Amino acid sequence: MTGALVKLELLRLRRSRAAWAILAFALFASFYSVWSGVSWRESHSASLVAYEAAIEAKMDVWLETLVAIESGERFATPFDARPSQVEFAATHPVGPLGHLAVGSAELLPARANIGPLKNQNLMVERYGFENPTTLTLGRFDLAFLIVVVLPLLMIALSFDVIAADRSRGTISLLLASRASKQRVIATRLLVRNGILGGIVALAVVFGIAMAPEGAAAFGLLWSLVFLAYSLFWIGLIYLVVGRTRRSETSAAVLVSLWALFTFAAPALANSAGEALYPLPSNLDYLSDARVAQNDAWKRRPELTAKYLSDHPELMANEQEAPEFAHAYFLANVMEIESTAPIVAAFEESHARRSAFVDKLQFTSPAIVAQRALFRIAGSDFDRTLSFLTQARAALMNLNDELRPVILASNRMSTEDFAGLSGFEFKSNSPAAVLGQISIPVAFLVLCLCLFVALGRPGNRYSPFA
Amino acid sequence: MKARVIAAKEALVARRGKRLWALSFGVIAVMVASMAIGLNRTATFETERAAAAESDKAVWLDQGVRNPHKAAHFSRYVFKPIPTLASFDPGAIDFGGIAVWMEAHIQNPSRFRRAESTGDLSRFVGLSPAWVLQVIMPLIVILLLFGSYAGEREDGTLRQVMSYGVSPGSVFKGKLRGASSALLKLLLPVFALIAIAVFVFDRGYPQEDLPVRLAGIVGIYGIYLFAFAMLTIGVSALSPSRRSAAVSLLAIWCLVTVLLPRFANDAAVAATPQPDSYQTWKDLEEIKAEYWGVIPAFGIPLTDIRKREMARFLEKFQVANVEDAPVPWSAWELQASEEYSDPLYDAYYAGLNDLYGRQEDTRFWLTALSPTISVMALSSGLSGSDRLHHYDFVKSAEEHRRVVIRQLNEDLLYNSGADPMVYESPTSFWGEVADYHAGPPPLTNFTGNYLPYLLVMVLWASGAFLFARWAAFRAANMETAV
């Protein structure tokens, strides 16, 4: 019987122009979104590689000069191969599936210059040249397609799954066969959304195949979230179409639920998070940083003298470095120390806001899916925050390593240079991401189970009761 | 007369159905919530801006005796004022930087985009009164009017009305009046609420042309929603039943207000990619280094540009050596380098601005499919929160930077004596450096940029009206013919 229902449904779909239009749109939009994401990934990654190469080339020249000075092949001017000129590139690589969810990645900093003449404020290389108008709405990426557009297409394809038979008067004929109403609805929903989901799944597989090596585990997690989210919507549609008699009512209810879940709930959760857990202002941070820089500038002789009085062995310098080198260094160290509380407050407020949104996400499957997909893709805000924290730590570490030679106006040895710790971004493993998304995804599956249980004929709340 | 009777009947049906009241109540509740959020954000941002500007000035005045060129490297920041109407439509304000560092030698981009600290959820949608009017209100219009013709046809009342000899024109006029009246009942309290909020409670930076801007906002949303009302009546007239009208209109709403604006955005970036931040900054640093060859330029041979400038310097002061001139060459050169690079920065930023313009042109062409794209552009423009207003701020910050740096360079030039490197300006000098006071620019600066969008809106509304009229006449004639 199910086989006959499937065949009938496929025939109906073949004859429906609206269904063809929806499926064609899904095909175009899903592959377009992958293409758009891949081109963003390629250009962004190329830019990061070019940045790293430029810093590396600069340091190669610096090191060659130092080697030449050490071997006596070159006369050293006060500006040559100074430790204050050491730089390392810190880059935030695109996440394993970043092309499937551009998310906040196009907005946030991805390059930092780790060097003793930088502070937290200036280490992040200048960015933000994008058109603010186009940033406002975000990208048409696969995550957007899955979270926002796919449910809408599912609704468009399924809202009249049974009501059309009612309005045509063919329902009695249909139910005169051995098929129960819930089986008819379930079969039709699975056939229609199976084809739609299959098209999007093809794009997902294609997108995963376009990922760099080592992203297979993340691809699996992404597919899992995609499946759970799609099934959630099929379950919800199953309940609604079974409970409503008229197709326009089904459409109105489902579109309202879609608008509630994808617009209203996220907007309210975001506004509530902003209002209840405001982050310290960037402008406050800037003000504190400038006060600290100014103080350090005014107190530089005192601070240098204090450090050298604690380390008299460093005073025998081979050649006086320009004064601005250690003046800037001291100003930056002081700036880092004095803005540490505001940075800590920012991180704490963000953690509290994030924990709050973690709870609120259960008000909307769209929030659950978006957060999970962003996390798996490596495009979430937390990952950028982690990059900035790691870059700050690397900067402080380098300052500690270089402090003695800079303040003593000495030159470092090539051996010491080789021993400096650079920067390597540490990202979450698939297991860690799975830990982060397991409860939200379990929630989607639980909702699906609930819908199925509610839809069983014996249940008093069942639409088919 | 007949049209008035039909309009009265429409109003009566709307009142009895209670749908209008429920929707009005819902819209006003959402509007109050979004306006409260907007007012709170604007007040917070303006307080932060004022505090940051005050702190920046205090730090500047407190720097003690210092070499003016070192002070030019520390320099000052200017902070972007948040206009009053940003509470209504934040537009692109969270996506453009809010502070510009007026450093010597280089025109820095604006920094600290607020969207960077709002988290991932803000990528869904930002709740604002403008968003409610752009996305939710068309849905309300559809819910109010989708049955206007289709319902009457389904119930058989349209045929009855036509059989009384009422002309199709009268029926259409009646429906039009009924729709306009329902729309006015919805919109009047909404606009009154916005006006009260903006004039009484808003703590944003005052906009001198606020009444004109507000009138413009009322006008464009009126046109936009009228277009949706006409589209709804037209589709309803072509649909055989309420069901098909509702479904078709919901599909149109999703496509026009949700999908196409996002797609247009992506297509704009695909057609004209965003500038690469690393390359852009490298280009700006190259402009900075063009005069000097390399920075710092101590001990480096003179570039041709510097040689030419030196020749000009010697000629101006009629001396053979720079040491014989009445002012120090190194101080002169600092200002000369600024004046050399200023037009280069102007050209570079104008190029970036052109690139943004090309992206927006792609978006503009897609307004043919979605009036929401037009209304978004016009609404943020009228609110003073779009990219054009942001660019105006960046330009005025740059003009101010040039004034400040010239002031510092001239102090070095005329007061430093023979050795500008060791000269230190007295503490009292910092107070003489001008503060930044520019507010939001007037709307008239950008009128030409908004006219095409306005034209598209009017075309959309006219087209929708003609479509509705054609569909209504067709429906009425079909009923008469049967």
Side-chain angles (χ1 to χ4, degrees):
Chain A
M1 185 62 214
T2 307
L5 274 174
V6 170
K7 274 185 194 162
L8 183 66
E9 196 53 28
L10 287 172
L11 187 70
R12 281 163 60 123
L13 275 182
R14 264 211 306 274
R15 287 180 181 170
S16 162
R17 270 191 234 157
W20 277 106
I22 290 167
L23 296 176
F25 175 79
L27 186 71
F28 164 76
S30 53
F31 279 88
Y32 169 83
S33 65
V34 175
W35 169 78
S36 170
V38 168
S39 44
W40 172 81
R41 175 189 197 109
E42 280 172 0
S43 64
H44 189 69
S45 299
S47 171
L48 294 182
V49 168
Y51 174 68
E52 284 172 350
I55 301 273
E56 217 175 293
K58 208 167 154 187
M59 286 322 294
D60 284 347
V61 173
W62 182 91
L63 192 58
E64 276 170 24
T65 312
L66 184 62
V67 170
I69 292 170
E70 275 184 356
S71 63
E73 285 171 27
R74 176 178 172 151
F75 170 74
T77 74
F79 301 100
D80 286 333
R82 282 288 166 192
S84 56
Q85 294 161 341
V86 168
E87 287 175 36
F88 290 109
T91 54
H92 180 210
V94 179
L97 298 176
H99 54 294
L100 302 187
V102 177
S104 306
E106 65 171 345
L107 187 66
L108 298 168
R111 290 175 291 116
N113 187 320
I114 309 295
L117 293 187
K118 301 287 179 184
N119 55 42
Q120 296 177 91
N121 181 20
L122 294 178
M123 74 170 186
V124 176
E125 292 281 10
R126 304 292 203 286
Y127 65 105
F129 293 101
E130 300 86 1
N131 184 351
T133 312
T134 52
L135 287 176
T136 310
L137 284 177
R139 302 297 292 258
F140 197 95
D141 53 21
L142 196 59
F144 172 75
L145 185 106
I146 289 173
V147 175
V148 177
V149 183
L150 181 64
L152 200 59
L153 297 180
M154 291 166 87
I155 292 168
L157 212 54
S158 319
F159 75 96
D160 62 346
V161 77
I162 195 78
D165 285 290
R166 278 204 189 99
S167 59
R168 277 198 301 265
T170 51
I171 185 101
S172 320
L173 191 67
L174 188 72
L175 296 179
S177 66
R178 279 178 297 156
S180 64
K181 191 164 58 169
Q182 64 269 32
R183 177 181 275 197
V184 172
I185 294 179
T187 310
R188 284 181 174 179
L189 282 180
L190 287 174
V191 170
R192 293 182 190 193
N193 294 296
I195 296 172
L196 176 65
I199 288 171
V200 181
L202 272 181
V204 170
V205 171
F206 174 64
I208 293 168
M210 298 297 285
E213 275 179 43
F218 291 103
L220 200 65
L221 290 178
W222 176 284
S223 308
L224 183 74
V225 175
F226 162 63
L227 187 69
Y229 185 62
S230 307
L231 288 175
F232 170 92
W233 276 101
I234 292 178
L236 189 64
I237 294 168
Y238 174 71
L239 266 192
V240 172
V241 295
R243 287 194 87 85
T244 46
R245 296 191 64 80
R246 293 157 66 146
S247 52
E248 67 265 33
T249 315
S250 300
V253 171
L254 286 167
V255 170
S256 305
L257 286 171
W258 171 79
L260 180 76
F261 288 149
T262 56
F263 288 132
L268 289 173
N270 192 36
S271 300
E274 268 190 46
L276 295 173
Y277 301 99
L279 300 179
S281 153
N282 277 327
L283 298 187
D284 289 347
Y285 165 77
L286 177 67
S287 299
D288 281 10
R290 281 174 68 77
V291 168
Q293 278 181 320
N294 200 30
D295 282 353
W297 174 261
K298 289 197 287 189
R299 292 173 54 206
R300 68 196 183 282
E302 176 202 333
L303 292 169
T304 314
K306 184 180 177 308
Y307 187 82
L308 291 179
S309 68
D310 294 342
H311 301 276
E313 75 282 3
L314 297 174
M315 290 183 75
N317 59 349
E318 59 181 67
Q319 194 180 19
E320 193 66 29
E323 182 250 3
F324 68 80
H326 59 258
Y328 277 127
F329 175 74
L330 281 173
N332 290 331
V333 169
M334 240 184 114
E335 188 261 298
I336 292 171
E337 283 167 7
S338 69
T339 53
I342 202 162
V343 171
F346 178 88
E347 285 175 355
E348 195 188 327
S349 301
H350 171 73
R352 285 213 305 262
R353 185 192 285 186
S354 197
F356 175 70
V357 176
D358 271 345
K359 286 181 196 121
L360 277 192
Q361 70 179 321
F362 297 110
T363 57
S364 157
I367 305 181
V368 168
Q370 191 234 34
R371 284 170 75 81
L373 292 176
F374 276 26
R375 276 191 173 139
I376 300 166
S379 308
D380 54 320
F381 185 70
D382 288 347
R383 193 173 189 260
T384 302
L385 206 61
S386 163
F387 161 68
L388 292 174
T389 307
Q390 291 179 38
R392 261 197 306 273
L395 177 66
M396 287 193 263
N397 198 25
L398 186 69
N399 282 348
D400 288 343
E401 290 171 333
L402 293 177
R403 189 190 304 250
V405 274
I406 291 178
L407 290 187
S409 295
N410 276 337
R411 210 169 248 115
M412 69 194 306
S413 67
T414 46
E415 199 181 326
D416 288 343
F417 176 73
L420 291 177
S421 20
F423 177 86
E424 195 181 349
F425 178 66
K426 292 177 189 69
S427 59
N428 281 338
S429 65
V433 174
L434 179 64
Q436 288 173 337
I437 64 163
S438 53
I439 294 178
V441 173
F443 166 77
L444 289 181
V445 176
L446 193 72
C447 288
L448 175 69
C449 296
L450 187 72
F451 297 150
V452 172
L454 282 176
R456 287 178 65 190
N459 192 305
R460 59 189 284 228
Y461 299 107
S462 166
F464 313 105
Chain B
M1 180 64 190
K2 284 170 189 166
R4 205 177 300 157
V5 171
I6 292 171
K9 175 247 161 196
E10 292 287 310
L12 185 70
V13 169
R15 272 202 304 277
R16 278 188 187 156
K18 293 181 186 166
R19 199 163 44 178
L20 180 63
W21 300 115
L23 290 174
S24 300
F25 180 77
V27 165
I28 288 176
V30 176
M31 197 55 96
V32 168
S34 58
M35 202 70 216
I37 291 168
L39 290 171
N40 181 45
R41 274 167 57 88
T42 305
T44 308
F45 294 170
E46 261 306 279
T47 308
E48 283 174 7
R49 184 194 66 84
E54 206 172 296
S55 164
D56 185 76
K57 185 170 183 177
V59 171
W60 178 252
L61 294 177
D62 183 44
Q63 58 186 321
V65 289
R66 194 177 204 177
N67 179 280
H69 190 60
K70 283 180 180 158
H73 275 286
F74 182 66
S75 199
R76 296 189 64 176
Y77 271 82
V78 294
F79 301 97
K80 184 176 168 180
I82 306 297
T84 303
L85 280 168
S87 310
F88 167 74
D89 188 348
I93 230 157
D94 286 355
F95 295 86
I98 50 171
V100 176
W101 187 19
M102 298 188 292
E103 197 186 1
H105 303 307
I106 195 156
Q107 181 180 351
N108 280 302
S110 56
R111 306 176 61 204
F112 302 121
R113 297 180 292 194
R114 292 194 188 275
E116 289 176 24
S117 51
T118 49
D120 295 326
L121 276 188
S122 65
R123 304 307 284 158
F124 267 112
V125 68
L127 185 62
S128 71
W131 179 79
V132 174
L133 284 171
Q134 286 159 11
V135 179
I136 302 297
M137 204 58 121
L139 184 63
I140 305 282
V141 169
I142 287 171
L143 291 176
L144 272 178
L145 301 175
F146 77 93
S148 59
Y149 270 89
E152 297 230 24
R153 176 188 281 136
E154 204 171 8
D155 299 342
T157 48
L158 185 59
R159 190 179 299 172
Q160 266 181 345
V161 171
M162 300 311 296
S163 66
Y164 295 149
V166 180
S167 69
S170 295
V171 177
F172 178 64
K173 271 185 204 160
K175 296 282 180 192
L176 194 65
R177 280 188 193 174
S180 307
S181 152
L183 209 57
L184 277 178
K185 278 177 189 153
L186 260 179
L187 286 181
L188 281 179
V190 166
F191 287 135
L193 180 78
I194 293 167
I196 292 168
V198 165
F199 281 113
V200 181
F201 298 109
D202 207 303
R203 297 287 170 269
Y205 200 100
Q207 287 165 298
E208 284 175 9
D209 48 5
L210 183 62
V212 177
R213 286 175 181 271
L214 207 54
I217 285 171
V218 171
I220 58 143
Y221 280 105
I223 297 173
Y224 175 64
L225 294 171
F226 175 78
F228 260 97
M230 291 302 102
L231 195 65
T232 308
I233 290 178
V235 172
S236 178
L238 289 183
S239 304
S241 62
R242 285 188 186 92
R243 171 185 167 267
S244 68
V247 171
S248 310
L249 285 163
L250 284 177
I252 290 171
W253 171 77
C254 291
L255 196 70
V256 166
T257 65
V258 180
L259 298 182
L260 279 171
R262 184 99 168 200
F263 177 74
N265 206 40
D266 206 274
V269 177
T272 313
Q274 298 280 25
D276 173 44
S277 282
Y278 168 59
Q279 188 56 47
T280 307
W281 181 241
K282 215 168 110 184
D283 292 346
L284 290 170
E285 287 204 306
E286 275 169 17
I287 293 176
K288 174 183 167 183
E290 198 170 312
Y291 178 87
W292 301 98
V294 64
I295 292 179
F298 311 112
I300 305 290
L302 295 186
T303 58
D304 289 345
I305 305 161
R306 291 180 74 191
K307 281 181 194 161
R308 278 203 300 276
E309 188 56 37
M310 187 181 273
R312 201 168 73 88
F313 176 79
L314 295 173
E315 194 188 332
K316 178 174 173 67
F317 293 105
Q318 295 294 305
V319 290
N321 299 304
V322 289
E323 292 79 16
D324 301 331
V327 293
W329 155 244
S330 56
W332 167 278
E333 202 182 16
L334 284 174
Q335 184 55 29
S337 71
E338 295 288 340
E339 285 168 18
Y340 176 82
S341 52
D342 284 349
L344 300 179
Y345 288 127
D346 286 343
Y348 194 83
Y349 275 93
L352 274 183
N353 205 39
D354 283 347
L355 185 149
Y356 303 150
R358 286 201 300 280
Q359 290 180 330
E360 285 155 24
D361 285 348
T362 308
R363 253 168 60 110
F364 174 76
W365 289 114
L366 284 160
T367 56
L369 300 175
S370 163
T372 309
I373 301 171
S374 262
V375 87
M376 279 174 169
L378 287 169
S379 173
S380 58
L382 287 163
S383 301
S385 57
D386 66 347
R387 200 254 316 161
L388 294 173
H389 284 74
H390 177 70
Y391 185 62
D392 190 273
F393 159 72
V394 170
K395 271 203 306 190
S396 78
E398 174 59 9
E399 278 162 22
H400 190 66
R401 181 186 80 88
R402 291 175 189 180
V403 170
V404 168
I405 300 298
R406 172 181 280 279
Q407 224 173 332
L408 295 169
N409 285 340
E410 285 180 351
D411 180 48
L412 201 62
L413 187 68
Y414 299 121
N415 302 322
S416 66
D419 195 354
M421 293 296 281
V422 297
Y423 168 72
E424 288 184 323
S425 306
T427 312
S428 60
F429 172 65
W430 312 126
E432 292 171 27
V433 174
D435 292 331
Y436 176 80
H437 285 300
L443 184 64
T444 44
N445 286 9
F446 316 104
T447 317
N449 298 83
Y450 301 136
L451 279 178
Y453 287 102
L454 187 62
L455 185 67
V456 167
M457 291 280 297
V458 172
L459 284 175
W460 253 97
S462 314
F465 172 78
L466 292 174
F467 165 68
R469 191 174 180 280
W470 167 79
F473 273 66
R474 182 176 174 273
N477 289 333
M478 276 174 75
E479 290 298 317
T480 326
V482 173

